[in-house]
Amino acid sequence: MQIASPRQTDNLVEPLFLERWSPRSFDRSAIDDGDLQTLFDAARWAPSSFNRQPWRFIYAHRDTPSWERFIDLLKPQNSGWARNGSVLILMASDTMIQFPGSPMPTPSHSHSFDAGAAWALFALQATRMGLAAHGLAGVDFERARTELGVPDDYRIEAGIVLGRAADKSLLPEPLQAREAPSGRNPVDSFAWEGRFGGVQAAG
């Protein structure tokens, strides 16, 4: 089910950016593993510091032995609607980086930044394929680390619910009112020339 986005902008932005949004209502239909691999392939083309590609994805298809284990790692406010998705994913990033010529890894400043770029390409590719991806932070991260065997030097960044959007009537009533593409702050509220906040020094 494709839901038309009412989003508009005055700038010549790629329409795909306006079409992408994060529904909570999904139809439980299966997603072919080949399509999932295409999404991961899109993510791998994200830019990263020294091309170290720190992102990692751990996933479970619905109706597989791992599915309920992944659902159980979500906070209650997310697990109810997320179980109607098709694939659940936990995204992590390597907090260490080994620079060329360096004998030892050192803490990475940009691992989360780089992982976010990979997530963005994943989500945009999903939209292009008629799928929907909803990122969420409502995860029991410590349990997820233990349950999924994530090493200590990786940060679990977020969960991702992947599926096909469905009618909002499938959601509990409080969530139905939120089931629409959201707006965005104006550019001048976050981008400034010369100084943070755009306030120029006197004199």
Side-chain angles (χ1 to χ4, degrees), residues 1-197:
M1 176 180 179
Q2 289 287 82
I3 298 176
S5 173
R7 293 168 168 171
Q8 295 183 352
T9 183
D10 294 330
N11 300 298
L12 296 178
V13 174
E14 163 59 48
L16 182 64
F17 301 159
L18 306 183
E19 295 166 13
R20 188 222 60 80
W21 68 292
S22 302
R24 291 180 177 83
S25 185
F26 294 97
D27 70 2
R28 296 192 171 207
S29 61
I31 289 180
D32 182 79
D33 196 61
D35 287 341
L36 182 60
Q37 296 305 313
T38 296
L39 297 173
F40 292 142
D41 200 344
R44 77 185 179 112
W45 294 104
S48 62
S49 179
F50 286 87
N51 195 30
R52 292 306 182 189
Q53 304 167 47
W55 47 82
R56 304 291 185 268
F57 297 93
I58 313 158
Y59 64 94
H61 285 274
R62 70 172 304 107
D63 299 326
T64 64
S66 294
W67 178 256
E68 287 299 328
R69 186 159 55 97
F70 274 62
I71 287 288
D72 193 48
L73 295 174
L74 302 182
K75 296 291 181 69
Q77 67 266 29
N78 292 318
S79 59
W81 61 263
R83 67 170 54 255
N84 292 327
S86 304
V87 181
L88 290 179
I89 304 165
L90 268 290
M91 186 178 191
S93 65
D94 189 348
T95 65
M96 305 296 288
I97 185 170
Q98 187 160 357
F99 294 106
S102 174
M104 296 291 292
T106 58
S108 170
H109 177 77
S110 65
H111 63 94
S112 290
F113 181 82
D114 297 340
W119 148 245
L121 295 192
F122 180 102
L124 290 169
Q125 180 66 38
T127 300
R128 176 68 77 202
M129 295 168 63
L131 303 173
H134 188 124
L136 52 90
V139 176
D140 187 333
F141 290 110
E142 289 309 309
R143 281 190 54 233
R145 180 179 299 280
T146 301
E147 289 279 336
L148 304 180
V150 179
D152 289 342
D153 54 352
Y154 282 77
R155 181 180 192 268
I156 303 177
E157 300 285 355
I160 301 169
V161 183
L162 178 69
R164 294 181 177 85
D167 190 84
K168 67 181 182 180
S169 63
L170 299 178
L171 293 170
E173 196 165 303
L175 290 179
Q176 290 184 26
R178 300 169 59 188
E179 191 68 355
S182 56
R184 292 294 185 272
N185 295 330
V187 172
D188 62 8
S189 71
F190 61 80
W192 311 292
E193 182 176 0
R195 185 180 180 88
F196 189 94

